[in-house]
Amino acid sequence: MTAEPADPALEPVRRPALSDEVIERIRARIASGDWPVGSRIPPEPELMRRLQVARGTVREAVRALAHTGLLEVRRGDGTYVKAKSELSGAVTRLYGGSDLGQLLEVREGLDAQAARLAAARADDTALDALADALRRRAAAWEAGDFDAWVTADWDFHAGVADASGNALLAELYHNLAGPLRTAMAEAWSTSGFQGADPVGHETLLAALRERDPAEAGRQAAANVSDTRAWDEGEGSRRG
Amino acid sequence: MTAEPADPALEPVRRPALSDEVIERIRARIASGDWPVGSRIPPEPELMRRLQVARGTVREAVRALAHTGLLEVRRGDGTYVKAKSELSGAVTRLYGGSDLGQLLEVREGLDAQAARLAAARADDTALDALADALRRRAAAWEAGDFDAWVTADWDFHAGVADASGNALLAELYHNLAGPLRTAMAEAWSTSGFQGADPVGHETLLAALRERDPAEAGRQAAANVSDTRAWDEGEGSRRG
DNA sequence: AAACGTAAGACGTCCGACGTTTGATGTCCA
DNA sequence: TGGACATCAAACGTCGGACGTCTTACGTTT
């Protein structure tokens, strides 16, 4: 056990693997928006040429990013950008086809916290956008347009998360959407689930306008609780 | 637009990529505990032999799992299991070195929700374990043992998350630990942060024992809020 | 105009080779 | 005897080429 003096200049020379370097290059392109979601990235031969690495190295990098959900590889066609964040893939894989109840409970926690923070931080622009989402939500409910209702409802909730001023919270919330939507679609097909009370959200918005974090948190929690109660309680009725 | 009749027998024949199959095999071994965290997995040549695939295929799979943080590849040595869940890596990569405040706000939301759920679901065994963690926490505080305090404090909070009966919530909470610890260590070194009021947790435990979700949620939120206030408010003092 | 056949592009997999790093083993000398 | 050194095998890193299969686009035929 020789005591090693801490000498930054004598740290081990570490050279990251080439494939890791390629991963970073690709991720940077995606994060910067150079390769937007849905676009096709250059084919492997071109990446080989431009990065000056062997095909196996390129493939290892692409495969890694595809596994995390950032890329989607279509054999015979090409490789496409699927998402900007890697969180979604992890959450999806962790909870693919899992309990809707658990997802909703997590959402409730994030929802309440986002509401509390948004009550303290949201600016008027954000509040107006939330009001607009609620108008569209109500209109879709009246018209019986389920898709439009889902979209508007999500716009509202996601808007609250964005208005929380917490990027991590917003990111977590957004990435919960995929699994949530899947689970909800399944619940809808098996139990006729069609959404919650269209009134409660108004009181949440009111609490946000009044800068009342505690009340906003209560209202947000109440909204999702209603949805969950509906799903668990009356969810088995159908015909 | 020819309408396609839904015929399960005529669905497209899809064969998943071999490397994806290898990924699943390895992940299954890790998830099942066959290959515990810290152990070394069989070298590439043996995986080739046992899985009957080419080395490139094995490498693509290993590289993908390494990128998500499940495996750690040490050149010249071997490949080791680094974690059981892929969430940790994603969260770390997403918020490595990010705002301590944002992490704490997310934790607060999860904490409060976990407390609410635990108040309704925790059994006596779990409650006793929480009480024990609090005892250790208090003792460490008295003794000025910072490491022991951190451990006991985390045991308590994580215990609440586990007692919530929501596996997703618990998983999210546990995987927040890494980035949180890193950010806290940084805050501690720059501002002398040393932990929050050691009293509040007792009232949370009391609320859990009384099966009072609302009160438990309030207490949990209050605990972390205190910590954040300390960090943001008095965090700049030091000498 | 619709159906078919064809060809090019792109990813999937395999094989073999060599380099670099690491850890362990063995050896030599003080 | 014990420590420092040299050596070697194992394991990962990278490269290059080859062939198969799938997807798409395009031209041809009917």
Side-chain angles (χ1 to χ4, degrees), chain A residues 88 91 154 171-184:
Chain A
S88 176
V91 174
W154 179 256
E171 191 73 20
L172 278 172
Y173 199 91
H174 279 95
N175 284 303
L176 216 58
L180 203 53
R181 214 168 273 237
T182 303
M184 277 189 163

Side-chain angles (χ1 to χ4, degrees), chain B:
Chain B
M1 290 278 192
T2 57
E4 294 201 7
D7 186 343
L10 256 57
E11 280 175 359
V13 180
R14 289 267 178 269
R15 208 172 5 145
L18 260 188
S19 42
D20 286 331
E21 185 67 28
V22 175
I23 287 177
E24 279 315 309
R25 298 285 190 93
I26 296 177
R27 188 215 307 290
R29 285 301 194 102
I30 296 174
S32 73
D34 275 352
W35 294 347
V37 174
S39 66
R40 199 183 69 170
I41 74 173
E44 291 169 2
E46 183 175 342
L47 291 177
M48 291 172 57
R49 223 190 49 240
R50 307 216 340 218
L51 297 168
Q52 292 291 304
V53 295
R55 191 175 167 213
T57 307
V58 171
R59 283 187 56 78
E60 285 180 15
V62 169
R63 173 60 72 187
L65 292 174
H67 180 65
T68 64
L70 230 65
L71 296 177
E72 180 185 2
V73 184
R74 299 185 204 159
R75 182 177 180 178
D77 182 1
T79 302
Y80 295 78
V81 179
K82 194 177 176 185
K84 276 189 81 169
S85 164
E86 312 192 14
L87 198 57
S88 176
V91 173
T92 301
R93 206 165 22 258
L94 185 63
Y95 272 76
S98 148
D99 223 354
L100 174 58
Q102 292 198 354
L103 286 166
L104 287 175
E105 283 174 359
V106 170
R107 173 182 169 167
E108 179 180 306
L110 296 178
D111 245 333
Q113 181 69 346
R116 277 191 290 267
L117 298 174
R121 298 174 184 165
D123 56 26
D124 289 339
T125 305
L127 291 176
D128 289 345
L130 292 179
D132 178 63
L134 277 193
R135 269 192 298 275
R136 286 186 287 118
R137 183 175 180 275
W141 181 266
E142 292 291 328
D145 186 338
F146 184 63
D147 287 341
W149 182 87
V150 169
T151 301
D153 186 63
W154 180 255
D155 284 348
F156 177 76
H157 287 287
V160 174
D162 290 335
S164 73
N166 185 316
L168 173 57
L169 181 59
E171 191 75 17
L172 279 172
Y173 200 91
H174 279 97
N175 283 303
L176 216 58
L180 202 53
R181 214 168 273 238
T182 303
M184 277 189 165
E186 186 182 349
W188 173 66
S189 68
T190 61
S191 70
F193 173 83
Q194 290 240 358
D197 160 37
V199 177
H201 292 54
E202 309 285 355
T203 58
L204 169 55
L205 180 57
L208 293 181
R209 285 202 185 282
E210 296 189 9
R211 309 284 177 201
D212 185 341
E215 178 63 18
R218 267 194 299 277
Q219 291 299 334
N223 283 341
V224 183
S225 287
D226 287 352
T227 306
R228 193 170 72 251
W230 201 101
D231 176 55
E232 294 179 350
E234 308 182 27
S236 54
R237 77 161 188 189
R238 203 194 173 172

Side-chain angles (χ1 to χ4, degrees), chain A residues 207-236:
Chain A
L208 293 181
R209 285 201 185 282
E210 295 189 8
R211 309 283 177 200
D212 186 340
E215 178 63 17
R218 267 194 299 278
Q219 291 298 334
N223 283 341
V224 183
S225 289
D226 287 351
T227 306
R228 193 169 73 248
W230 201 101
D231 174 56
E232 292 178 352
E234 308 180 31
S236 54

Side-chain angles (χ1 to χ4, degrees), chain A residues 116-150:
Chain A
R116 276 191 290 267
L117 297 174
R121 297 175 186 164
D123 56 28
D124 290 338
T125 305
L127 291 176
D128 289 345
L130 292 178
D132 178 63
L134 276 194
R135 270 193 298 274
R136 286 185 288 119
R137 184 174 180 274
W141 182 264
E142 292 291 328
D145 186 340
F146 183 63
D147 286 342
W149 181 87
V150 168

